[in-house]
Amino acid sequence: MKTIGISRQALVAALFGAAAVGTMAVAPKVFSPEAGAQPITVQAPHNAPLSFADLIEQVEPAVVSVNVTTEREVGRLRDMDQFFEQFRGMPGFDEFLEQRRQEQEDQQDEPEVQEGRSLGSGFFISQDGYIVTNNHVVDGAKEIQVVLKDGRELDAELVGTDKQTDLAVLRVTEKGEYPFVHFGSAETMRKGDWVVALGNPFGLGGTATAGILSADGREIGPDSPYTDFLQIDASINRGNSGGPTFDLDGNVIGVNTAIFSPTGGSVGIGFAIPAELADEITQAIIKDGKVSRGWLGVSIQDLTEDMAEAQGIKNAEGAIIADVTNGSPAEKGGLERGDIILSVNDKKVTDATSTTRVVGSLIANTSNKFEIIRGGKPKTLKVTVGERPEDPYARTVPASSSAPADKPEKGTTVKDVGATFEQMDDELRSRLGLRSGESGLVVTHVDKGGVMDKAGLAEGMVILEVNNKPAASVDDFRKAIADARKSDRTKVLIAIRVGQITNYRTIDLSDAS
């Protein structure tokens, strides 16, 4: 690069010459910072690499492309579903479609089988050939092949999957010693740390991209209730699913699984399953071929500020148990309706979602420590969680819901809250799926604009508890209200049964006339 210079003598002459011919003018300062003020300065990250080549060269042999062959049954009409979609809603169309389907069934034709192919990524986690990938990559697979960096194509068998976390484990059928990587810790990563993703985008194979950890703890939909995803901006595209994301030490800190994109291509928002969760799930799959999730058998809600205030609790964090299933692990472990779960195995929970995730991550048939609040006082319980059933919400009693609509109004009126109640009988108790002898007050009338009306209560609902005490009688209800007022509380917590679902609400005594 050419540099323009000036001699020392010329510089001195220019300065003194200017002083000799006249007064030297000095331009005034337009801006003068306050004394001692310093601008924001940022040092370049000391660990920013000049190149990722050494890292990629070492870990790439453990990364594979996953090629999957699937088969699915199709009918002549099913193949035209996309074409028929434009006619949905037209008069008589649904009847026409159903008639055609019935005609096909009557013909008893053998269903046609259509072959499909899908591509993904994966990586070895053991020398003897275990591979981690995504469940959606191998879903419905008839044949699975993996392609190594050196071009070898190896058959692989499915060891097991976990749909809830979208993880799967394969194992190559050819015995040998394979290069492998291991899981690190996503919890030690900070927003802004470098990450490198490897995979098979669009079937191109052996592709590396780099970026940073953009965020953690992301929720990306109801289909992944047990996962707080890592968000990364290293380019993730179709075919990257199941591939690893590395830290700069070559540890797998995430399994690439999804992208957010309006176009279908990378826009810099990718999601990876954290290493700690992926390691735990894959080890369970290798051991048992499946994941047995912990199950308590409770219905829970977020603890709101009003609920906390009604019980004199300052911190509105945790989950309140709205219902406990008969014979469930929760019941056997001593958990009760109205208990507020604060932590599980010393891991703090903040709401119903975090509680569900923590409990779901527990291993079935293990004993776990639950820190709760019951009646305003802290309590510790040891609860052995069970294995989550196929349908944890299945009921063993009829699902008939509310009291008959034509039932005449009767009972005792509590003017303060603008409602009339009567005690629950055995017939209604049975229809609501409640335990024998459980007490409650049936709401038979609600004044429009009254306290109960504003709280969303209606005829046919049943109040089971008031401020964590059974609502055995109207006198009990009145006493709970009086006690709240003596304690200068304006909120009262009530447990409501609607059909076979129990939930908590608060009534505001400041609305009372």
Side-chain angles (χ1 to χ4, degrees), residues 264-478:
S266 174
V267 294
I269 302 178
F271 299 100
I273 302 164
E276 288 82 359
L277 177 61
D279 191 14
E280 180 182 354
I281 295 298
T282 54
Q283 291 304 317
I285 292 174
I286 291 170
K287 181 176 179 289
D288 300 321
K290 63 176 183 176
V291 177
S292 298
R293 299 195 176 281
W295 179 64
L296 272 181
V298 296
S299 298
I300 56 176
Q301 295 175 246
D302 293 344
L303 180 69
T304 66
E305 292 185 3
D306 283 350
M307 292 176 186
E309 180 186 336
Q311 300 179 80
I313 300 172
K314 294 182 179 180
N315 189 5
E317 287 192 347
I320 187 168
I321 297 178
D323 202 9
V324 178
T325 303
N326 293 343
S328 65
E331 184 182 57
K332 294 175 182 177
L335 288 170
E336 299 176 0
R337 181 194 300 134
D339 287 347
I340 299 168
I341 301 175
L342 302 178
S343 69
V344 182
N345 294 335
D346 297 321
K347 186 170 184 179
K348 185 179 178 182
V349 297
T350 56
D351 52 23
T353 300
S354 62
T355 304
T356 299
R357 289 181 175 176
V358 170
V359 172
S361 68
L362 301 176
I363 303 301
N365 304 314
T366 58
S367 179
N368 301 273
K369 184 173 75 170
F370 282 73
E371 299 284 352
I372 67 169
I373 292 179
R374 178 179 295 170
K377 297 179 180 180
K379 190 177 181 69
T380 301
L381 294 175
K382 284 285 188 179
V383 181
T384 299
V385 297
E387 184 173 351
R388 191 175 191 267
E390 288 294 325
D391 184 4
Y393 305 106
R395 299 282 182 174
T396 58
V397 293
S400 173
S401 58
S402 60
D406 58 351
K407 189 172 184 176
E409 176 192 332
K410 61 179 180 178
T412 304
T413 299
V414 181
K415 292 183 179 180
D416 278 358
V417 297
T420 302
F421 309 97
E422 69 171 355
Q423 289 187 339
M424 179 171 52
D425 58 23
D426 289 337
E427 180 193 356
L428 180 57
R429 187 179 292 110
S430 176
R431 287 197 288 115
L432 295 177
L434 297 169
R435 295 174 180 83
S436 176
E438 186 163 2
S439 57
L441 297 174
V442 184
V443 180
T444 60
H445 174 75
V446 176
D447 291 345
K448 188 174 181 179
V451 171
M452 299 295 264
D453 183 45
K454 291 179 180 178
L457 272 77
E459 289 85 349
M461 294 182 179
V462 178
I463 299 177
L464 301 178
E465 293 179 358
V466 186
N467 278 348
N468 293 319
K469 294 181 180 179
S473 67
V474 175
D475 287 340
D476 289 338
F477 187 83
R478 287 193 174 113

Side-chain angles (χ1 to χ4, degrees), residues 103-122:
E103 289 175 358
Q104 278 196 358
E105 290 178 5
D106 292 342
Q107 293 173 3
Q108 296 182 346
D109 291 339
E110 286 293 326
E112 296 180 17
V113 176
Q114 185 178 74
E115 186 178 278
R117 297 185 181 276
S118 62
L119 301 172
S121 305

